[in-house]
Amino acid sequence: MSGRRTASLAALAATVTLTLPTGATMSWAAQPDISGTHPTPGQAATTGRPTPAPPTTGSSTTGHAPATPPAIDPPATPPHPTATHLPSAPATTPSVRRATPPPPTARRSTAAPSPDNGHAPTRESLRQAGPHDVETMRLPREKTGTGFADVVALLPTHQPGPTPTVVMMPGLSGSAETIRWVGERLASHGYAAFIVEPPSMLDGPAARGKAVNAAAAWLISSSPWASRLDGSRIALYGYSMGAGGVLEATDAHPHVRAVVSVFPWDFRTSFPSASAPTLVLSGSSDITAPKSFYATPIYRKLTGVSQKAFAELAGATHTRVESPDARLSELTLAWLGRFLLDDPRYDVFLCPGPAVGAEYTSYQSTCPW
């Protein structure tokens, strides 16, 4: 959530059954409405916070934030992002962002791997843009499917074969612009990233989850990019209420290959049907979605998820994700590489995971996987 807590849930979405390129079928259906667990607009100021659940240690490495967190974030009180929109672009004239060439001292062979090359991943490569140019296109809701609004597509140019797909959802009142840099980063590393906007900018996590499911079905079946996508390799990425939304979506449909939930905000903290490998991120300075109320209990209650990890970013406020951050890039790409691409070379970045110190105040996981 980029700002005020609110939730306006949409009606139940229809079930869509898809035929994947391989001939297998996948069913994307909306989960039951759980509007009783979400506040109505205006309640946020008077509703008490739930009793925080203590984090479990398990197989974990937990540290403490340094006395003075690194000065890399916005002020502790995050501004409310405005619901700005990207200008519409005709389908016939996509824009292309050229990949930034490496500095003279960099070796091209250390570029982060994409689904179509054999380059070994390095920590440095995961923290920067990949080798692919990025093609960008926006479709307004009049040209998309039912159950969601605008879609911003960011794809690697000249990517041969079906492309692994990441469906992304922003937070409350935030447009696709708030997480566009993440989509561009993913596309530069060889993923097809689609930032989906919900029917209403004020929709809560449950409604956003339904929008994610509807968009995923449309993308791999009848969207303009369907023939370029790998319908058997789909991941979900969400921020704030969108982070709660992707958890709601995967709880209804455990067919996705990986989930990244960044600074989640959702009054619902239990997702018993979720089974996809899930990465949960929080910020040590996030007063909008404090980890004790959201990220920690969500991670602890992912009892059906055998492959999961939790990381707390030192000094990060709730809006940290809205501008480029090397840590977000590193962990997101490592998680998708390991579980969406099923590439064990990425294990080294997740098991035992990043060291606790100036950049991370906590990390725990269920590895080895």
Side-chain angles (χ1 to χ4, degrees), residues 98-143:
R98 300 296 180 185
T100 303
T105 57
R107 296 180 61 183
R108 194 65 173 178
S109 61
T110 62
S114 65
D116 67 329
N117 68 35
H119 296 155
T122 67
R123 188 166 187 252
E124 179 184 23
S125 68
L126 297 180
R127 288 178 159 238
Q128 59 190 9
H132 293 275
D133 293 336
V134 177
E135 171 188 333
T136 303
M137 185 188 306
R138 182 181 190 119
L139 284 185
R141 68 173 67 201
E142 294 81 11
K143 296 183 179 181

Side-chain angles (χ1 to χ4, degrees), residues 67-320:
T68 303
I72 59 174
D73 297 303
T77 302
H80 300 297
T82 57
T84 55
H85 293 272
L86 301 172
S88 298
T92 56
T93 57
S95 61
V96 175
R97 168 171 287 197
R98 300 296 180 185
T100 303
T105 57
R107 296 180 61 183
R108 194 65 173 178
S109 61
T110 62
S114 65
D116 67 329
N117 68 35
H119 296 155
T122 67
R123 188 166 187 252
E124 179 184 23
S125 68
L126 297 180
R127 288 178 159 238
Q128 59 190 9
H132 293 275
D133 293 336
V134 177
E135 171 188 333
T136 303
M137 185 188 306
R138 182 181 190 119
L139 284 185
R141 68 173 67 201
E142 294 81 11
K143 296 183 179 181
T144 62
T146 302
F148 54 99
D150 295 13
V151 172
V152 174
L154 303 115
L155 297 93
T157 59
H158 310 299
Q159 175 82 337
T163 305
T165 302
V166 184
V167 184
M168 309 174 67
M169 175 61 69
L172 179 71
S173 77
S175 70
E177 187 68 23
T178 57
I179 55 174
R180 177 170 177 149
W181 80 267
V182 182
E184 291 179 341
R185 181 63 52 87
L186 295 179
S188 75
H189 282 268
Y191 299 93
F194 298 92
I195 308 176
V196 178
E197 293 181 350
S200 169
M201 290 294 184
L202 300 181
D203 279 340
R208 289 170 188 269
K210 294 172 185 176
V212 166
N213 282 335
W218 173 79
L219 283 167
I220 63 175
S221 62
S222 55
S223 75
W225 311 279
S227 63
R228 299 173 59 181
L229 307 181
D230 186 345
S232 67
R233 290 192 291 177
I234 295 180
L236 307 180
Y237 178 102
Y239 161 47
S240 191
M241 278 195 180
V246 296
L247 292 170
E248 305 254 4
T250 190
D251 188 53
H253 296 284
H255 303 295
V256 297
R257 298 281 291 271
V259 176
V260 180
S261 180
V262 183
F263 305 170
W265 192 103
D266 194 341
F267 280 158
R268 180 188 179 191
T269 58
S270 179
F271 304 91
S273 298
S275 60
T278 301
L279 172 66
V280 179
L281 301 178
S282 70
S284 67
S285 298
D286 188 348
I287 61 174
T288 302
K291 71 171 184 177
S292 59
F293 297 140
Y294 303 103
T296 295
I298 285 173
Y299 177 77
R300 180 169 57 85
K301 295 179 183 179
L302 288 173
T303 55
V305 179
S306 60
Q307 299 158 316
K308 61 181 181 177
F310 170 89
E312 182 180 60
L313 278 58
T317 65
H318 196 64
T319 55
R320 175 67 266 178

